[in-house]
Amino acid sequence: MSKRLQQEITTEQNRGTVSVIQGQASGAPPTTTATASGPPGGSLQLVAQLVPVTPAGGGGGGGKATPPSKMKKTSGDKDSDEYRQRRERNNLAVKKSRMRSKQKAQDTQQRVNELKEENERLEAKIKLLSKELSVLKDLFLEHAHNLADNVQAPGAEGASPAHNNNNNINNNINNGGCNNNNNGQ
Amino acid sequence: MSKRLQQEITTEQNRGTVSVIQGQASGAPPTTTATASGPPGGSLQLVAQLVPVTPAGGGGGGGKATPPSKMKKTSGDKDSDEYRQRRERNNLAVKKSRMRSKQKAQDTQQRVNELKEENERLEAKIKLLSKELSVLKDLFLEHAHNLADNVQAPGAEGASPAHNNNNNINNNINNGGCNNNNNGQ
DNA sequence: CTCAATTGCGCAATTA
DNA sequence: GTAATTGCGCAATTGA
């Protein structure tokens, strides 16, 4: 009931008519009248201002004077209960929809943050792994050199075993060795 | 009261000033319109509604129009040019703001997608690196074994200095190969 | 204090 | 016919 006083009033007022108004009801927004806008603290209540409704509209235009008897119950255009009811329902739906929309946006933003964190973690890990790999490779090379030296020195005997190994290695590889890692955030 | 004209109409038709309105200045969006809410395809309309202002009954009499006699130029509250001007400005600002807001949301969503992709890439890389590491590690172990065998076989002769290396290497490997490290950035 | 930007809200046209 | 969306205008706030 009190709801419709809001915008309509203003709206109407646009054209110059008056209206009544009321202060805020429950948590709702404070509406105010044309003349006095009651911002925040609103205490007060309503002030009604009636205006001389001049019958002949004149005003801008058109005039139409009171078309008094035209208003079907059904689709009584606007004053009908039915209309009001629908409006209210829609308003509710709108509110809900907007709320969800907002929430979704928020979630998305959060998702971005999470992904960014994850990303950093992954990059750090890559860095680490790369480093390790690098170290190992160096060692490997060094080792190879040493082997070469040794092999040459001792004698023709020890053929380096590193040949058929591929198979075995592959198996191992498939197993994935030991890279497990857990991380929680 | 006549509210049926509601906003748009009111807005434009408001005081008779017609106005096709809107020219948006700043590079804004291309909207169409003449009457504000022109639905898609807008074709016409607008004429009709002057008439029906269903007065409705409620309010009693209905009428409307003609702002009584109060219309200061400044702050004439509603009919004032100044008011209208401000409204228009605000409407424009609102539009702009909303546009940006929407755009931002879109960007954010896109950001999520990009980050997701990036993440996948990073994970793939990690997997690859891990595999390489694993291979190298196995290779090392194998080598170590072979070396050990070879060393034993040849005889007590020349202890190859490589052993030390191996040990070190192994240690390193252990650390390096399977280490899962925690502690996030 | 003015003014652009935000924000909550209701209306109406669409869409599903 | 209903609920959900979406564009829009109004008004109250807020931040420069």
Side-chain angles (χ1 to χ4, degrees):
Chain A
M1 285 191 164
S2 45
K3 228 105 191 275
R4 54 175 340 182
L5 296 179
Q6 250 184 324
Q7 187 155 1
E8 300 175 16
I9 286 162
T10 50
T11 304
E12 284 175 30
Q13 218 166 32
N14 272 342
R15 320 195 80 241
T17 312
V18 174
S19 39
V20 183
I21 272 169
Q22 62 98 87
Q24 61 275 71
S26 48
T31 13
T32 46
T33 55
T35 54
S37 39
S43 30
L44 59 84
Q45 186 195 68
L46 62 96
V47 179
Q49 192 179 211
L50 276 206
V51 173
V53 177
T54 4
K64 3 253 52 172
T66 52
S69 37
K70 236 349 170 121
M71 160 229 210
K72 245 24 185 258
K73 194 236 291 356
T74 45
S75 71
D77 282 66
K78 310 312 183 169
D79 300 332
S80 93
D81 253 12
E82 208 251 321
Y83 166 73
R84 215 46 236 154
Q85 210 166 335
R86 276 191 330 185
R87 281 307 323 137
E88 199 154 338
R89 273 175 114 91
N90 178 248
N91 288 340
L92 206 67
V94 167
K95 214 149 136 191
K96 191 164 140 195
S97 178
R98 282 172 180 156
M99 199 173 77
R100 278 172 38 180
S101 176
K102 211 169 276 188
Q103 170 86 46
K104 210 182 68 175
Q106 227 169 325
D107 288 356
T108 303
Q109 180 59 57
Q110 200 182 338
R111 189 87 193 295
V112 167
N113 294 335
E114 291 172 358
L115 285 173
K116 273 204 310 200
E117 259 182 60
E118 176 87 359
N119 232 334
E120 279 179 38
R121 264 191 17 226
L122 293 179
E123 280 186 28
K125 185 161 184 179
I126 284 178
K127 197 171 173 183
L128 184 77
L129 288 176
S130 294
K131 197 166 186 175
E132 286 178 13
L133 208 50
S134 167
V135 170
L136 267 177
K137 279 182 182 173
D138 286 348
L139 284 177
F140 196 60
L141 287 181
E142 193 175 337
H143 196 224
H145 283 170
N146 286 337
L147 264 185
D149 293 347
N150 289 339
V151 165
Q152 273 190 330
E157 187 195 316
S160 68
H163 43 301
N164 290 335
N165 290 347
N166 279 337
N167 288 332
N168 292 334
I169 290 171
N170 269 336
N171 284 337
N172 286 334
I173 291 170
N174 281 337
N175 283 340
C178 45
N179 64 351
N180 70 359
N181 103 14
N182 62 355
N183 38 16
Q185 168 197 318
Chain B
M1 319 183 66
S2 53
K3 12 192 109 205
R4 286 31 324 182
L5 303 175
Q6 279 326 88
Q7 310 197 277
E8 310 167 353
I9 291 161
T10 26
T11 307
E12 298 171 13
Q13 205 141 50
N14 223 334
R15 325 157 270 62
T17 342
V18 178
S19 48
V20 182
I21 302 201
Q22 287 241 0
Q24 55 242 68
S26 49
T31 10
T32 6
T33 52
T35 45
S37 75
S43 44
L44 57 92
Q45 135 202 65
L46 183 305
V47 179
Q49 77 291 62
L50 284 193
V51 184
V53 174
T54 10
K64 45 115 358 349
T66 359
S69 32
K70 234 11 191 268
M71 171 230 210
K72 243 36 179 280
K73 196 234 282 356
T74 43
S75 73
D77 275 66
K78 303 304 181 180
D79 299 330
S80 96
D81 253 11
E82 208 246 314
Y83 167 72
R84 211 51 234 151
Q85 210 166 337
R86 274 193 329 202
R87 282 305 325 138
E88 199 155 337
R89 271 182 118 101
N90 178 248
N91 287 340
L92 208 66
V94 166
K95 218 147 128 189
K96 190 165 141 195
S97 179
R98 282 173 180 156
M99 198 175 77
R100 278 175 32 183
S101 176
K102 215 168 275 190
Q103 241 254 317
K104 210 183 67 178
Q106 226 169 321
D107 290 356
T108 303
Q109 180 60 57
Q110 200 181 338
R111 190 83 192 296
V112 166
N113 294 333
E114 291 172 359
L115 286 173
K116 275 207 298 200
E117 260 181 61
E118 178 86 359
N119 263 15
E120 277 179 39
R121 257 189 33 221
L122 294 180
E123 280 187 28
K125 187 162 183 178
I126 284 178
K127 198 170 172 184
L128 184 77
L129 288 176
S130 294
K131 203 166 183 177
E132 280 183 34
L133 215 46
S134 167
V135 169
L136 270 179
K137 192 194 72 176
D138 287 345
L139 219 59
F140 258 118
L141 289 180
E142 187 112 1
H143 246 216
H145 283 171
N146 288 336
L147 267 183
D149 291 348
N150 288 338
V151 165
Q152 273 190 328
E157 191 193 311
S160 63
H163 277 141
N164 286 337
N165 281 342
N166 276 335
N167 286 336
N168 288 337
I169 290 170
N170 270 333
N171 284 340
N172 284 335
I173 290 169
N174 280 336
N175 274 341
C178 315
N179 109 3
N180 41 356
N181 76 14
N182 38 14
N183 84 50
Q185 78 259 35

